[in-house]
Amino acid sequence: ALTKHFEDITTKYAALFGALDNKHAAFQNAQETELNHLKEEIHQKLEGFQQERDILLKESDERYNEQSQAFDEQFETLQNEKNVIERRIQELKTWHPFAAETESLENELHQLDVEEAKASADLKTLESQKEQLRAEAQRDSETKAYDYELERRRLNDQLQQAKEEIRKTESLLSKYKGSFYEWLTQNDERWKENIGKLVDEEQVLCSQNLNPQLVSYSDSLYGVQVDLEKLETQHRTPDEYRVHLKELQDSSSDLTKQLNALQQDKDQTEKKISERLSEKLRPLNQQIAELKVLLGQIPTKRRDKRTQLDGFEKQEEEKRKVETDKKQQELNEIIVRIDKTKQSKKGAYAL
């Protein structure tokens, strides 16, 4: 009975366990079915999420690309603007807003230098021409003066000879009264042919044709006999001396007139030489005066031009500073915008 009872219990438990196993299997099947259903549902949701994520990622990528491209374009634009401003700042260092004015002034200064050099050279040439003309006039004057001096000496020598002859003749005439000369003239008509021939040193004492001989004092004058026929009569009467004196005086007067005329001619010649020189020098002096005025004006003109040039250079410096400060401010603003753009792009990357 116990065995049967045990078998019944065993059978009951076996049936019970079988039922439990069936229920467990059914539950497990149901759970697996539910799990599979959930998995399918989750899978479908995951696929939906994935698709939605892909769409969102695509949209995000597109937005990022768009934003990145916008940032890049904005950065490039800002960088280009920065480069333009930086180049402009560099250009401003050599910027000459008054280049035309300063170039014109520099050309004018150069032209003044050229004019000054030419005027100085011309002045030197003209001064040399003046000196040459003066030297020529001096040589001409000296030549004329030398010729006049020769002629003056010649005439003066003749005048002095005439005066000396006048003096001698006047002296002879002054001594004639009561002289042996007068006695011979009055008492011996032949005295000129004998004793008169002995008183001439040149004709008698130096003669080589008289054939002198010593004889007694009673036969000759002073014991000397000479051939008087070889001698020419050289003595004149007082009237002849007076005529001769008049001729000498006329000759002296004529020589004096010639000397005076010579001096006047010399003075007139020197005056003409001086006038010709003045005539030749007049245009040169006029040109020299004009050149000196020009050379005197050039320093003032140069100073005025340099003052104007300095003024333009200062104005340029001021304009460069103002423009450079303005561009530097623009550059600083661009740099700030570039930094902001970089920070914005980094923020976009972080998102």
Side-chain angles (χ1 to χ4, degrees):
L2 287 172
T3 303
K4 184 175 173 56
H5 181 67
F6 177 74
E7 290 178 354
D8 290 337
I9 292 173
T10 301
T11 302
K12 187 182 294 185
Y13 275 107
L16 180 61
F17 278 120
L20 289 173
D21 288 334
N22 291 332
K23 286 183 179 181
H24 179 267
F27 176 76
Q28 188 175 11
N29 290 331
Q31 289 296 318
E32 288 179 356
T33 300
E34 184 66 22
L35 179 61
N36 290 332
H37 179 70
L38 290 173
K39 287 182 177 179
E40 180 64 26
E41 186 177 349
I42 290 171
H43 177 69
Q44 290 178 357
K45 288 183 177 180
L46 286 174
E47 287 183 350
F49 288 148
Q50 184 68 38
Q51 291 177 356
E52 186 177 354
R53 188 198 67 173
D54 291 342
I55 292 172
L56 291 174
L57 286 175
K58 182 178 180 182
E59 292 176 353
S60 177
D61 289 342
E62 289 177 353
R63 285 196 300 273
Y64 170 78
N65 290 333
E66 290 176 358
Q67 290 178 352
S68 178
Q69 184 177 359
F71 285 134
D72 290 342
E73 290 176 355
Q74 184 178 5
F75 179 80
E76 183 178 0
T77 299
L78 292 173
Q79 188 63 41
N80 289 336
E81 292 181 7
K82 176 175 176 289
N83 293 336
V84 170
I85 294 174
E86 287 176 339
R87 284 196 300 270
R88 181 55 181 165
I89 291 175
Q90 291 298 319
E91 291 172 355
L92 287 174
K93 293 180 179 179
T94 56
W95 181 46
H96 295 285
F98 298 106
E101 291 81 356
T102 56
E103 182 180 0
S104 176
L105 287 170
E106 287 172 352
N107 289 336
E108 291 175 8
L109 284 170
H110 175 70
Q111 186 61 34
L112 285 176
D113 292 338
V114 172
E115 290 179 5
E116 185 177 46
K118 183 178 184 301
S120 297
D122 291 344
L123 181 61
K124 185 176 181 180
T125 299
L126 290 172
E127 292 288 359
S128 177
Q129 291 177 1
K130 281 183 61 178
E131 291 303 318
Q132 183 177 354
L133 288 174
R134 286 196 182 100
E136 290 175 356
Q138 181 66 24
R139 287 194 297 271
D140 190 17
S141 177
E142 290 175 354
T143 300
K144 292 290 192 298
Y146 178 77
D147 293 340
Y148 282 123
E149 180 61 19
L150 289 179
E151 182 64 13
R152 187 197 68 79
R153 290 181 180 180
R154 185 185 69 80
L155 292 175
N156 189 65
D157 289 344
Q158 291 180 7
L159 178 61
Q160 295 306 317
Q161 291 175 4
K163 287 182 177 181
E164 180 63 20
E165 189 67 21
I166 289 172
R167 186 191 65 78
K168 291 180 180 179
T169 303
E170 288 177 342
S171 177
L172 287 173
L173 288 174
S174 67
K175 295 176 182 179
Y176 178 76
K177 190 65 176 177
S179 67
F180 182 44
Y181 192 174
E182 183 183 24
W183 184 89
L184 288 174
T185 301
Q186 294 174 355
N187 295 282
D188 187 358
E189 295 179 356
R190 298 180 301 168
W191 75 271
K192 295 181 181 180
E193 302 300 324
N194 45 61
I195 193 171
K197 295 183 178 182
L198 297 177
V199 296
D200 190 302
E201 294 180 353
E202 181 178 355
Q203 295 293 325
V204 177
L205 297 180
C206 295
S207 175
Q208 298 176 343
N209 302 314
L210 299 182
N211 299 315
Q213 296 179 10
L214 290 176
V215 294
S216 65
Y217 278 86
S218 60
D219 295 333
S220 63
L221 180 63
Y222 304 115
V224 177
Q225 179 179 338
V226 293
D227 186 0
L228 297 180
E229 293 181 356
K230 300 293 184 178
L231 296 176
E232 296 179 1
T233 301
Q234 297 293 328
H235 300 283
R236 302 169 182 160
T237 65
D239 290 338
E240 288 175 337
Y241 272 113
R242 291 186 184 95
V243 172
H244 180 58
L245 178 61
K246 181 64 170 62
E247 291 175 349
L248 289 173
Q249 290 173 338
D250 291 343
S251 176
S252 176
S253 176
D254 183 62
L255 288 170
T256 300
K257 290 179 181 179
Q258 291 185 52
L259 282 170
N260 291 334
L262 181 67
Q263 183 62 43
Q264 292 177 359
D265 187 39
K266 176 185 177 184
D267 294 341
Q268 189 65 24
T269 299
E270 290 180 349
K271 182 180 178 181
K272 289 181 179 179
I273 292 174
S274 178
E275 289 175 347
R276 285 198 301 269
L277 177 62
S278 297
E279 188 67 23
K280 292 179 180 179
L281 290 179
R282 188 174 295 111
L284 296 180
N285 287 332
Q286 180 65 30
Q287 296 178 55
I288 288 172
E290 293 173 356
L291 287 174
K292 286 184 176 180
V293 170
L294 176 62
L295 288 171
Q297 293 174 345
I298 286 178
T300 301
K301 291 181 179 180
R302 182 183 288 113
R303 184 168 56 252
D304 292 342
K305 299 299 180 184
R306 291 195 182 281
T307 299
Q308 295 179 41
L309 187 61
D310 291 340
F312 279 122
E313 289 177 350
K314 288 180 180 178
Q315 292 182 54
E316 283 188 339
E317 186 64 27
E318 292 174 358
K319 288 183 70 70
R320 275 197 296 268
K321 185 177 183 306
V322 170
E323 190 67 19
T324 300
D325 291 343
K326 177 183 176 182
K327 290 301 177 182
Q328 188 62 50
Q329 180 63 31
E330 293 179 4
L331 180 61
N332 294 337
E333 293 175 358
I334 291 292
I335 291 174
V336 171
R337 290 172 62 188
I338 288 175
D339 290 340
K340 287 182 178 180
T341 301
K342 289 179 179 179
Q343 294 299 326
S344 298
K345 189 172 183 179
K346 288 181 179 179
Y349 284 159
L351 294 176

